Amino acid sequence: MARPFHAAAARVRRLRPSATAPAGGIAPATHPWKRALGLLAVVVLGAWLGLLVVGSVRTPVGPMDTTMTLRPSVSGGTKINVSPLGALELDSHRAPVRLDVDVDQLDPERSQALVKHPERLSGLQEEVTADVASGTRELAVRSCVAVVSGATALGLVVYRRPRRALAAGGLALALLAASGVSAYATWNPKSVLEPKFSGLLSSAPSVVGDARSIVTEFDVYQQELARLVTNVTKLYDATSTLPVYQPDPGTIRVLHVSDIHLNPAAWHIISSLVEQYEIDVIIDSGDTMDHGTAAENGFLDPVRDLGAPYVWVRGNHDSKQTQAHLEKTKNVHVLDEGDAVDVAGLRIAGTGDPQFTPDRSRPTGGKASEQLAGTRLASALRDQERAGTPVDIAVAHDPDAARKTDGTVPLVLAGHVHHRVNELLPLGTRLKVEGSTGGGGLRAVQNQKPEKVRASVLYLDRPTRHLQAWDEITLGGLGLTTAEVSRHLPEENKPAASPSPNRFG
């Protein structure tokens, strides 16, 4: 019996790995997808490190010395940092890389030459275009070297095999080439028409011109690049006193606010915007109060001193008591049940919210009641048109009510949802919903993050009373100090846009 037992034991020893066998003798196979993910991680990290170390170019652009850099990014685009004034962001392309342009300094000799010889501005377009093209070419070459070198070096450190390191460098070059193709395919030269400002630049809307110049003068990217450089030159020349916005005499400026919710800081913000933008009329689409009690009425006293007529509709947090108090207040036009008023060259009509739900504790009519109120407002708008007094802007608190006015008015304003909506409705009416100008009011402290303060300046052509452009102003909420101004144009006002039929012409 001993011989069969020893034979079986010998077979077991042959099948079982020896405890003293070398670690590399029998190694578990690594899944291919894990190896691929590991290589991709090495490539991305190495390319990013390469760009950080050597992926930038210093180049003159007109009268300025700049540094151009490529940075990894989820959304792409271009960011122009004008220290210490702030930054401009352009939605110039969609790719996993962003172009950062840092304005390092203004060359005194070149800038003084422009100031003393304004005729040289006519050739600034070609100079700036050539400078940017030269800098971009150099940046592209340097970025390729940086990406490939970074990925290859990190691959050599991680894998310790030249072949794997070269594979990492080749993959990095392929990814950079794909990013370049993506940027080229999505390149948007008209992105300069709708810049987003931050920092001190947000208080200088004149950096891109007034509302009429947006429509008539912004035609090609090269011209705008020259204009941008010229305006930045002016900003540097007057760092201590930023240029004041000079409105077009033919433009009506409307400040749209909503959902203040008893935040006293909103009155200071509105007053500042009225002065800075030389606002002709303020339109408040409701929820100025929080509970609508008589005790809150004193909060409304600053309205009479804001410096512009105040048009108001009732929100679901505003009571009839609130409305009655405002009807007696100097400088205020209360609209309800389709009432219309002529103010600042515009005819504005509106209706109050049919629901009063300050604490959501009582039964409401819901969406159906809002739609019914909107239908009644639309009927009043049609009556105005038949009477020969067509309305230019309609106002309702709830977007569900506002949508019912489609086809009866060029522009309808609303609030309620505490975020912005810009929508061209099927029959041609543009719906603009404003966020909370009070940053959600005192209830904002209940949220994990402060709600931002939002308002918009609408530019309307005086002869036609059509919307030409609008600036969206966003300020940091409680405890925040950020500021952004982004400019937008209706599609029909953008250069090269084919004229579309307008039922309100």
Side-chain angles (χ1 to χ4, degrees), residues 97-118:
V97 289
R98 185 185 72 197
L99 174 62
D100 282 359
V101 181
D102 294 318
V103 179
D104 299 325
Q105 64 180 4
L106 190 67
D107 186 271
E109 294 182 4
R110 283 177 282 164
S111 60
Q112 285 300 320
L114 286 176
V115 173
K116 294 179 180 178
H117 305 282

Side-chain angles (χ1 to χ4, degrees), residues 378-391:
S379 177
L381 295 173
R382 283 189 284 268
D383 290 343
Q384 291 280 345
E385 188 170 8
R386 283 192 291 267
T389 55
V391 170

Side-chain angles (χ1 to χ4, degrees), residues 47 50-51 54-56 69-70 138-148 176:
L51 286 176
V54 294
S56 62
T69 311
L70 284 182
E138 185 179 350
L139 178 62
V141 172
R142 179 168 294 203
S143 297
C144 287
V145 173
V147 164
V148 173
L176 183 62

Side-chain angles (χ1 to χ4, degrees), residues 134-261:
S134 175
T136 303
R137 284 193 297 269
E138 185 179 350
L139 178 62
V141 172
R142 179 168 294 203
S143 297
C144 287
V145 173
V147 164
V148 173
S149 301
T152 303
L154 187 60
L156 193 59
V157 170
V158 173
Y159 296 113
R160 301 179 183 276
R161 298 177 183 176
R163 183 177 296 179
R164 297 296 296 274
L166 290 175
L171 181 57
L173 183 60
L175 291 177
L176 183 62
S179 300
V181 171
S182 175
Y184 180 80
T186 58
W187 178 248
N188 177 23
K190 297 186 179 68
S191 61
V192 75
L193 296 176
E194 299 183 298
K196 179 185 290 185
F197 302 99
S198 59
L200 292 178
L201 284 180
S202 62
S203 63
S206 59
V207 77
V208 291
D210 54 40
R212 177 158 293 183
S213 69
I214 292 174
V215 179
T216 60
E217 296 177 16
F218 284 8
D219 49 359
V220 294
Y221 178 72
Q222 289 86 350
Q223 292 177 354
E224 290 322 300
L225 195 54
R227 184 185 298 274
L228 184 63
V229 171
T230 304
N231 281 304
V232 170
T233 302
K234 294 177 182 176
L235 284 174
Y236 267 91
D237 195 44
T239 304
S240 59
T241 56
L242 292 177
V244 178
Y245 177 66
Q246 299 297 329
D248 189 319
T251 301
I252 303 173
R253 299 160 304 283
V254 177
L255 178 62
H256 181 201
V257 302
S258 191
D259 296 84
I260 292 174
H261 285 292

Side-chain angles (χ1 to χ4, degrees), residues 460-485:
L460 290 90
D461 182 66
R462 191 172 295 275
T464 65
R465 299 178 301 282
H466 287 172
L467 184 65
Q468 299 293 302
W470 65 91
D471 287 344
E472 292 181 351
I473 299 154
T474 306
L475 307 176
L478 294 173
L480 300 180
T481 57
T482 59
E484 284 184 359
V485 179

Side-chain angles (χ1 to χ4, degrees), residues 421-469:
V421 176
N422 172 48
E423 181 181 348
L424 192 61
L425 300 176
L427 299 180
T429 294
R430 183 176 294 276
L431 167 65
K432 288 192 61 58
V433 181
E434 189 52 78
S436 173
T437 309
L442 298 180
R443 301 185 183 204
V445 300
Q446 300 172 355
N447 303 329
Q448 291 183 350
K449 293 183 179 180
E451 188 170 334
K452 292 186 176 182
V453 174
R454 294 179 170 89
S456 295
V457 177
L458 315 179
Y459 302 101
L460 290 90
D461 182 66
R462 191 172 295 275
T464 65
R465 299 178 301 282
H466 287 172
L467 184 65
Q468 299 293 302

Side-chain angles (χ1 to χ4, degrees), residues 340-352:
V341 62
D342 292 307
V343 57
L346 297 170
R347 188 159 181 81
I348 307 169
T351 189

